[in-house]
Short mmCIF file of all heavy atoms in Angstrom, two decimals:
data_model
loop_
_atom_site.label_atom_id
_atom_site.label_comp_id
_atom_site.label_asym_id
_atom_site.label_seq_id
_atom_site.Cartn_x
_atom_site.Cartn_y
_atom_site.Cartn_z
N MET A 1 23.95 -49.90 30.64
CA MET A 1 23.33 -49.03 31.64
C MET A 1 24.00 -47.67 31.59
O MET A 1 25.22 -47.56 31.46
CB MET A 1 23.46 -49.65 33.03
CG MET A 1 22.82 -48.83 34.14
SD MET A 1 22.96 -49.67 35.73
CE MET A 1 21.91 -51.10 35.45
N SER A 2 23.18 -46.59 31.70
CA SER A 2 23.71 -45.23 31.69
C SER A 2 23.31 -44.52 32.97
O SER A 2 22.25 -44.80 33.55
CB SER A 2 23.14 -44.45 30.49
OG SER A 2 23.47 -45.08 29.28
N ILE A 3 24.16 -43.61 33.44
CA ILE A 3 23.85 -42.78 34.59
C ILE A 3 23.88 -41.33 34.14
O ILE A 3 24.86 -40.87 33.55
CB ILE A 3 24.85 -43.00 35.73
CG1 ILE A 3 24.79 -44.46 36.23
CG2 ILE A 3 24.55 -42.05 36.89
CD1 ILE A 3 25.80 -44.78 37.29
N VAL A 4 22.77 -40.61 34.37
CA VAL A 4 22.69 -39.22 33.96
C VAL A 4 22.25 -38.38 35.15
O VAL A 4 21.62 -38.87 36.08
CB VAL A 4 21.69 -39.02 32.79
CG1 VAL A 4 22.15 -39.77 31.58
CG2 VAL A 4 20.28 -39.44 33.19
N HIS A 11 20.17 -40.36 37.79
CA HIS A 11 19.25 -41.40 37.35
C HIS A 11 20.05 -42.53 36.72
O HIS A 11 20.90 -42.30 35.86
CB HIS A 11 18.26 -40.85 36.33
CG HIS A 11 17.41 -39.73 36.85
ND1 HIS A 11 16.15 -39.91 37.36
CD2 HIS A 11 17.66 -38.40 36.92
CE1 HIS A 11 15.65 -38.75 37.74
NE2 HIS A 11 16.55 -37.81 37.48
N GLU A 12 19.79 -43.72 37.16
CA GLU A 12 20.41 -44.90 36.57
C GLU A 12 19.46 -45.43 35.51
O GLU A 12 18.33 -45.84 35.83
CB GLU A 12 20.65 -45.95 37.66
CG GLU A 12 21.60 -47.06 37.24
CD GLU A 12 21.96 -47.95 38.41
OE1 GLU A 12 22.88 -47.61 39.16
OE2 GLU A 12 21.29 -48.99 38.55
N LEU A 13 19.90 -45.40 34.28
CA LEU A 13 19.03 -45.77 33.17
C LEU A 13 19.31 -47.20 32.72
O LEU A 13 20.47 -47.62 32.65
CB LEU A 13 19.24 -44.81 32.00
CG LEU A 13 18.97 -43.33 32.29
CD1 LEU A 13 19.23 -42.50 31.04
CD2 LEU A 13 17.55 -43.11 32.78
N PRO A 14 18.27 -47.94 32.34
CA PRO A 14 18.45 -49.34 31.95
C PRO A 14 18.94 -49.51 30.52
O PRO A 14 19.21 -50.64 30.09
CB PRO A 14 17.04 -49.92 32.11
CG PRO A 14 16.14 -48.76 31.87
CD PRO A 14 16.85 -47.57 32.43
N ASP A 15 19.04 -48.42 29.77
CA ASP A 15 19.47 -48.50 28.37
C ASP A 15 20.06 -47.16 28.00
O ASP A 15 20.09 -46.22 28.81
CB ASP A 15 18.27 -48.85 27.48
CG ASP A 15 18.67 -49.49 26.15
OD1 ASP A 15 19.86 -49.39 25.78
OD2 ASP A 15 17.80 -50.08 25.49
N THR A 16 20.53 -47.01 26.77
CA THR A 16 21.09 -45.73 26.35
C THR A 16 19.98 -44.69 26.26
O THR A 16 18.81 -45.03 25.99
CB THR A 16 21.76 -45.85 24.97
OG1 THR A 16 20.76 -46.13 23.98
CG2 THR A 16 22.82 -46.95 24.97
N PRO A 17 20.31 -43.41 26.49
CA PRO A 17 19.29 -42.38 26.36
C PRO A 17 18.59 -42.39 25.00
O PRO A 17 17.38 -42.21 24.92
CB PRO A 17 20.08 -41.09 26.57
CG PRO A 17 21.21 -41.48 27.46
CD PRO A 17 21.58 -42.87 26.99
N ASN A 19 18.08 -44.98 22.90
CA ASN A 19 17.14 -46.09 22.80
C ASN A 19 15.88 -45.83 23.63
O ASN A 19 14.76 -46.14 23.20
CB ASN A 19 17.80 -47.40 23.24
CG ASN A 19 18.82 -47.90 22.25
OD1 ASN A 19 18.80 -47.51 21.07
ND2 ASN A 19 19.72 -48.75 22.69
N LEU A 20 16.06 -45.28 24.81
CA LEU A 20 14.91 -44.97 25.66
C LEU A 20 14.04 -43.89 25.03
O LEU A 20 12.81 -43.94 25.10
CB LEU A 20 15.39 -44.54 27.05
CG LEU A 20 16.09 -45.61 27.88
CD1 LEU A 20 16.75 -45.00 29.10
CD2 LEU A 20 15.11 -46.71 28.29
#
Side-chain angles (χ1 to χ4, degrees):
M1 181 178 293
S2 301
I3 298 176
V4 297
H11 300 264
E12 195 172 276
L13 301 179
D15 203 344
T16 66
N19 289 340
L20 294 169

